[in-house]
Every structure is written in C-alpha cells, then in structure tokens.
Amino acid sequence: MQLEIFNQLDSGEASQLLQACVHMPAWISELLAQRPYCSTQQLYRAAAAQAHSWQWPEIATALAQHPRIGEKKAATALSEKEQQFSQHEQAGVETGAVVQLALYQGNLDYEHKFGHIFLIRAAGRSGQQILSELQRRLLNTAEQEQAEVKQQLAEIALIRLKQEIQ
C-alpha cells in the first residue's frame, strides 16, 4: 500500500492494517495519532520510537498472536494478513527432522523456563540459526530474555510495516 493511501484510511481500516504488524494497542493508537506522514521513513522512525516504549504486560499479550517457530497456528486466531506474514517469515526456515525435533524440545524447555513462547525474527534465518539462538537464549535470565523478546517483536513489527506500507 502506498503511504498516501494509508494516510487517508479511516481509523478502523488503518488500525487493522497496523494490528497485523503487531497486536499492540498503544503502538497502533500512537501511529494513527501522528498521521499524516510525509514519508515512509517518518512512519518507520515513529514506529521504531514507539516500540521502545513497550512494556512487558503488553508484549506478553502480543506474544499470544504469534505461532511457535515451526508451527502454523498461534494460540489465538490470526487474521488472514497475519497468517500470510507468518507463513512468509517462516518459509525460509528449512529444517530437517533432527533440527525440527530439537526446535520442538527447545520450545518446550523455553516455555517451561520463561512462561511464554520463544519469539524470534525468523526472516533471513535458517532453522539451524534459530535453534542456536534458542539454545543461547535458554541461558538468559528472565530480565535478559524480556529485553530480547521486545527487540525481536519490534523487528518483526517493523519488517511487516515496511512490507505493508511503501
């Protein structure tokens, strides 16, 4: 979608578009309040800046909208656009049976330790790279991991925003 069209969308349509990037009501509201944007760079900078203010409770809620790495479904129903984003992001994650089993077990260990799904920007990463990151992050403290999850969620949201609005 062109930026000019995004600037002219009614609030409901624009909100749905942004929600497909990340389920973060404060982020969506702030980006809508700053319209119209003069350039896509201004929009992307505003989105990144707003992501810095995210707090753990809203991040934890947004995590429910993401499927586990290697799974096709999230804990809650995704919109068609969110399903497309997720499928596209995980399409390059080729995994053999050994890596797939290790990711499955790693996900279980991670969820047991941290109480939420393992979230990583899958785009541009191989299955082995994701597994290595999962194993590394299992050594994090809860505070370290929350910071990493926030960073990964922001990266995912910005990638999706850039794919959606050009």
Side-chain angles (χ1 to χ4, degrees), residues 2 8 39 44 49 53 55 61-62 68-69 76 78 85 89 92 95-96 104 110 112-114 139 146 152 156 158 164:
Q2 295 297 318
Q8 295 173 6
S39 69
Y44 304 155
S53 70
Q55 298 299 310
T61 300
R68 289 180 184 96
I69 291 294
T76 59
L78 300 177
F85 277 138
E89 291 158 0
T95 58
Y104 175 77
Y110 181 95
H112 179 73
K113 179 175 182 177
F114 295 113
L139 302 175
Q146 286 180 4
Q152 293 298 307
I156 292 166
L158 292 172
E164 198 62 26

Side-chain angles (χ1 to χ4, degrees), residues 143-157:
E143 295 77 23
Q144 290 169 323
E145 189 54 25
Q146 286 180 4
E148 290 213 39
V149 170
K150 178 179 177 179
Q151 177 61 37
Q152 293 298 307
L153 188 60
E155 287 181 25
I156 292 166

Side-chain angles (χ1 to χ4, degrees), residues 54-147:
W54 292 348
Q55 298 299 310
W56 185 251
E58 60 190 344
I59 292 169
T61 300
L63 287 177
Q65 305 303 319
H66 285 269
R68 289 180 184 96
I69 291 294
E71 288 188 352
K72 304 302 178 203
K73 291 185 142 188
T76 59
L78 300 177
S79 71
E80 184 175 333
K81 177 54 85 175
E82 289 167 306
Q83 290 174 24
Q84 290 170 359
F85 277 138
S86 184
Q87 288 167 359
H88 177 73
E89 291 158 0
Q90 291 195 40
V93 181
E94 296 296 326
T95 58
V98 172
V99 172
Q100 197 167 31
L101 181 59
L103 279 172
Y104 175 77
Q105 184 59 53
N107 274 313
L108 293 177
D109 294 344
Y110 181 95
E111 289 176 35
H112 179 73
K113 179 175 182 177
F114 295 113
H116 55 81
I117 69 161
F118 171 68
L119 183 79
I120 189 167
R121 175 192 43 80
R125 289 190 167 120
S126 70
Q128 186 58 54
Q129 289 170 320
I130 291 170
L131 179 58
S132 294
E133 277 297 293
L134 172 57
Q135 292 167 337
R136 179 189 66 77
R137 286 172 54 186
L138 276 166
L139 302 175
N140 281 347
T141 65
E143 295 77 23
Q144 290 169 323
E145 189 54 25
Q146 286 180 4

Side-chain angles (χ1 to χ4, degrees), residues 26-46:
W27 184 78
I28 294 167
S29 296
E30 186 62 32
L31 292 181
L32 292 178
Q34 294 181 41
R35 289 190 305 167
Y37 293 94
C38 298
S39 69
T40 53
Q41 291 308 313
Q42 182 189 26
L43 170 61
Y44 304 155
R45 280 192 302 272

